[in-house]
Amino acid sequence: NVNKAIEVYNTILKIDPTYNDAHFNLGYIAMVMQNDMAKAIKHFSDNISFHPNNYEAFYMRGLCYELMKDKSSAERDYRQALNLYPQYDNA
């Protein structure tokens, strides 16, 4: 139930705005299930602001940019993911 998941993640963020999985999962839901890249980018960016070493959030934000045809922003995020974790095959 996507709506219930969103509600639960938002409740978690009210308690702990830095909670890594809530931001990441809200970004994933926005990207994959809602096809809302702008919202997904915001959630992945929030994740990155609290967890700047989260290479997966950089990758996912880069993927959103790529899907939006913003290749330069996508490349920047993919490179940052690789800077953080050079063996990350997805990036």
Side-chain angles (χ1 to χ4, degrees):
N1 186 332
V2 173
N3 291 331
K4 183 65 175 172
I6 292 169
E7 180 183 322
V8 169
Y9 289 132
N10 283 323
T11 299
I12 291 169
L13 290 174
K14 287 178 185 171
I15 296 166
D16 181 1
T18 69
Y19 189 72
N20 183 48
D21 290 342
H23 287 294
F24 189 90
N25 292 345
L26 284 168
Y28 183 86
I29 289 169
M31 180 181 137
V32 174
M33 298 177 177
Q34 298 175 324
N35 197 35
D36 186 339
M37 297 308 134
K39 185 189 292 185
I41 287 169
K42 184 202 177 309
H43 287 299
F44 292 127
S45 294
D46 288 345
N47 182 287
I48 290 165
S49 71
F50 292 114
H51 306 279
N53 293 323
N54 188 341
Y55 62 91
E56 292 174 309
F58 277 103
Y59 169 76
M60 293 300 287
R61 188 174 72 179
L63 185 56
C64 290
Y65 283 127
E66 184 176 353
L67 292 169
M68 294 173 62
K69 309 289 189 225
D70 182 349
K71 291 183 181 185
S72 63
S73 294
E75 180 181 5
R76 181 192 67 228
D77 279 349
Y78 291 154
R79 287 187 186 282
Q80 184 59 27
L82 288 170
N83 284 338
L84 294 168
Y85 184 49
Q87 295 80 24
Y88 191 54
D89 290 336
N90 290 341

